[in-house]
């Protein structure tokens, strides 16, 4: 799978990016309430696990299976997480929030989208 920003985690610093992830990595970005960190802890064929931390809030996502992934929505007062079957489209921006979508790939490369609203 290819991504608009390649494998450059630094492209996510402003809260908007699309990168390919094929090994554990830490991505720092601007969250709705200040600095946020996404740590990909595991990635493999049709599998992805990550943790997001933002100003005292912590959220985890884990998905495995063909076309599976997770969406995490960060707001200044907390976060929400949902995992399941995802399309390949970029997630929609939401006002005053950062939307994170991580989709597992068959080849062991996940696609991470971060979209700020």
């Amino acid at each position: 799978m290819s991504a608009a920003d390649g494998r450059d985690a630094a492209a996510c610093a402003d809260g908007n990016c699309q990168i390919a992830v094929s090994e554990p990595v830490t991505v720092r970005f601007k969250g709705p309430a200040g600095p946020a960190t996404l740590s990909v802890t595991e990635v493999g064929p049709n599998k992805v696990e990550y943790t997001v931390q933002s100003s005292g809030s912590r959220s985890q996502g884990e998905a495995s299976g063909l076309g599976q992934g997770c969406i995490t929505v960060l707001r200044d007062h907390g976060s929400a997480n949902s995992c399941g079957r995802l399309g390949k489209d970029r997630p929609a921006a939401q006002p005053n929030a950062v939307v994170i979508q991580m989709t597992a790939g068959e080849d062991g490369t996940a696609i991470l989208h971060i979209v700020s609203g």
Side-chain angles (χ1 to χ4, degrees), residues 45-112:
N46 296 316
K47 181 173 177 68
V48 68
E49 286 183 30
Y50 66 90
T51 302
V52 180
Q53 290 197 259
S54 174
S55 60
S57 170
R58 184 170 191 244
S59 185
Q60 291 181 277
E62 178 180 338
S64 60
L66 187 61
Q68 299 292 305
C70 297
I71 295 178
T72 301
V73 180
L74 297 180
R75 300 190 183 283
D76 60 1
H77 57 273
S79 61
N81 203 49
S82 172
C83 296
R85 190 152 190 61
L86 297 177
K88 297 188 189 293
D89 295 335
R90 177 183 168 171
Q94 295 185 23
N96 304 312
V98 175
V99 180
I100 299 161
Q101 177 177 303
M102 178 81 77
T103 307
E106 289 181 69
D107 63 354
T109 299
I111 298 296
L112 168 64

